[in-house]
Amino acid sequence: MLPPIIKLLRPAQWCKNAFVFLPLFFDKKFTDPRLLALTCLCFVIFSLAASAVYCLNDILDRKADAQHPVKCQRPIASGAVSVPAGWAAMVICAVLAIGLTLAFVPKLIWLLLGYMVLNVAYSLWLKHVDLVDMLIVASFYVMRVLAGAITCAIIPSQWIVVMTFLLALFLVLGKRRDDVMIQVESGTVVRRGAANYNLEFVNMALTLVATVTIVAYMMYTMSGEVTSRLGSKYVYCTAVFVLAGLLRYLQLTVVGNRTGSPTKVLFHDHFIQLCLLGWIISFILIIYC
């Protein structure tokens, strides 16, 4: 069991920052020790920035979280961590993130500040605006990819940006469906923006985004630009892992109602873990072997 102050930083959520490694991986430079070290530092910076935002979010939402069946266990909502301690943790994480960026990756500072400011705006207001809230969260994943690209002076392809945004939007819809289910079952509005969603809309949106995602991915794998850059005509073989992973996530969402936390799904569902592992191994074979 993690100490409450560490739990407040949500270290399990840091896995989302693995998106910073994508530009380095797909640019065939993952074996470059200098660039890999810089990207690891970028990962740490965005993890600290994300933790600062989580602290702020938990402080602002402590009353609403106390009414939520799951979020009531968060450190500040449950009273395990005081509000002043939460503010202190937020400031420390933010200062460390900015300090490390200025010291080692100064060219990243404007994107980092933009990421943090947008997160603050999201916590204060944008997360209560229906549809906009999901688009903003999906854009955070894209910003992580761009951060990795800037850190290593790599120009990201249009495909990696589009696919990241679509996948993130798909995951966010799964979370929103969980909010809608809680509203339906308990009559409690757990998120103001979600009050304008219903089960039919979220299910249709999930299906639409999943369809667009797999079609876009198939177009990516068969693009002449991609096969030429990666030096392989077998990129399309990786689509089986993407399709299987999307179908499994849809199954967990629609049948099991278990996607309130995509991170927990990643850590606990072996089928999705195997899909992700198969996807990574197949690209390692295509790109580096």
Side-chain angles (χ1 to χ4, degrees):
M1 180 68 71
L2 293 174
I5 193 65
I6 300 299
K7 189 178 178 182
L8 175 65
L9 304 182
R10 301 191 207 177
Q13 300 294 330
W14 293 347
C15 66
K16 298 175 182 177
N17 298 312
F19 278 81
V20 302
F21 290 97
L22 291 182
L24 185 67
F25 180 79
F26 284 104
D27 206 51
K28 301 182 180 183
K29 296 178 180 177
F30 206 74
T31 54
D32 185 317
R34 184 185 69 84
L35 293 180
L36 183 58
L38 279 174
T39 307
C40 288
L41 178 61
C42 180
F43 175 87
V44 171
I45 288 170
F46 268 76
S47 295
L48 288 168
S51 289
V53 174
Y54 291 142
C55 292
L56 174 64
N57 184 74
D58 285 5
I59 291 170
L60 297 176
D61 288 355
R62 60 189 183 279
K63 293 181 180 179
D65 287 348
Q67 307 301 318
H68 193 281
V70 176
K71 295 178 182 179
C72 63
Q73 299 175 17
R74 288 179 175 176
I76 292 181
S78 65
V81 174
S82 67
V83 172
W87 284 116
M90 183 201 74
V91 171
I92 290 172
C93 287
V95 169
L96 284 174
I98 294 172
L100 286 172
T101 302
L102 291 174
F104 298 103
V105 204
K107 58 187 176 182
L108 187 61
I109 188 62
W110 292 112
L111 180 62
L112 176 69
L113 292 176
Y115 172 81
M116 296 177 73
V117 169
L118 188 57
N119 262 290
V120 171
Y122 176 81
S123 296
L124 292 173
W125 171 50
L126 293 176
K127 69 179 179 181
H128 302 304
V129 182
D130 51 287
L131 296 182
V132 172
D133 64 324
M134 295 189 292
L135 298 175
I136 292 295
V137 173
S139 72
F140 291 149
Y141 287 82
V142 174
M143 293 178 81
R144 292 178 175 104
V145 170
L146 295 178
I150 291 173
T151 298
C152 298
I154 294 171
I155 300 176
S157 72
Q158 59 195 22
W159 288 108
I160 195 172
V161 173
V162 170
M163 292 307 307
T164 298
F165 182 82
L166 288 172
L167 177 61
L169 186 58
F170 178 73
L171 298 177
V172 174
L173 277 165
K175 289 190 66 174
R176 292 299 175 268
R177 189 181 188 279
D178 186 70
D179 292 338
V180 172
M181 288 299 299
I182 292 175
Q183 291 175 189
V184 171
E185 294 171 358
S186 67
T188 302
V189 178
V190 297
R191 183 187 294 269
R192 275 188 286 168
N196 293 319
Y197 302 144
N198 60 28
L199 203 55
E200 181 181 8
F201 168 77
V202 177
N203 286 341
M204 289 176 61
L206 269 169
T207 303
L208 173 63
V209 174
T211 302
V212 172
T213 301
I214 193 61
V215 170
Y217 190 81
M218 290 301 297
M219 292 174 62
Y220 158 76
T221 62
M222 293 184 286
S223 165
E225 170 203 346
V226 172
T227 56
S228 174
R229 180 164 51 83
L230 298 183
S232 174
K233 60 182 180 180
Y234 297 108
V235 183
Y236 70 90
C237 295
T238 64
V240 65
F241 300 109
V242 175
L243 179 59
L246 289 176
L247 287 175
R248 175 58 174 170
Y249 196 83
L250 274 174
Q251 181 185 38
L252 293 174
T253 302
V254 178
V255 179
N257 296 321
R258 289 170 47 195
T259 53
S261 172
T263 306
K264 288 184 178 179
V265 172
L266 176 62
F267 286 148
H268 295 99
D269 190 82
H270 298 314
F271 189 94
I272 287 183
Q273 290 170 352
L274 287 174
C275 289
L276 181 60
L277 182 62
W279 183 81
I280 293 173
I281 291 175
S282 62
F283 264 112
I284 289 176
L285 294 175
I286 289 171
I287 297 175
Y288 293 94
C289 295

